[in-house]
Amino acid sequence: MSYEDTGAIRADERARIVSLLARYPDLPGPEFDELRTWFERGATPLDLGLIAGNPDVAEQYRAFRESQIDRFTQRDIWKAGAFAAAIFAIFGGIFLLMPH
């Protein structure tokens, strides 16, 4: 696959995402899932910049990012808690092993 082919495929994907964003938040489940999956797994920084700079969907883009991508999920909170617990356990272990 040539560089030009890849660019054309990316442009087609962006066009599809722009068409979905234009209808956000009134999307049926499968299309909403497609939009979310693309933002989480398929979007490159260039894609995000081009879509964010598109005045036709700028408002929907910001609303989607705010409500779906840029918020803490319960999984993020659990990860932070586990990280903090590990740090406390390490420092607690060091403190307990220190000669008094």
Side-chain angles (χ1 to χ4, degrees):
M1 184 181 307
S2 71
Y3 179 75
E4 290 81 19
D5 292 340
T6 304
I9 291 169
R10 301 294 309 170
D12 290 343
E13 286 178 358
R14 276 193 308 275
R16 169 75 177 149
I17 296 304
V18 166
S19 72
L20 293 175
L21 276 175
R23 296 179 311 166
Y24 179 80
D26 301 321
L27 291 172
E31 289 181 341
F32 178 80
D33 293 341
E34 177 185 352
L35 185 64
R36 185 170 172 92
T37 300
W38 187 83
F39 271 95
E40 290 176 346
R41 298 199 176 128
T44 65
L46 176 62
D47 293 328
L48 296 177
L50 291 171
I51 291 174
N54 184 337
D56 296 333
V57 294
E59 186 177 321
Q60 293 94 331
Y61 171 76
R62 280 193 292 278
F64 178 78
R65 289 286 307 228
E66 183 178 302
S67 69
Q68 301 298 319
I69 304 298
D70 295 338
R71 63 184 180 94
F72 287 115
T73 64
Q74 190 170 10
R75 183 177 180 203
D76 296 331
I77 294 169
W78 278 105
K79 285 181 182 177
F83 178 76
I87 295 298
F88 286 127
I90 290 169
F91 283 110
I94 291 171
F95 178 76
L96 290 174
L97 293 175
M98 285 181 8
H100 294 92

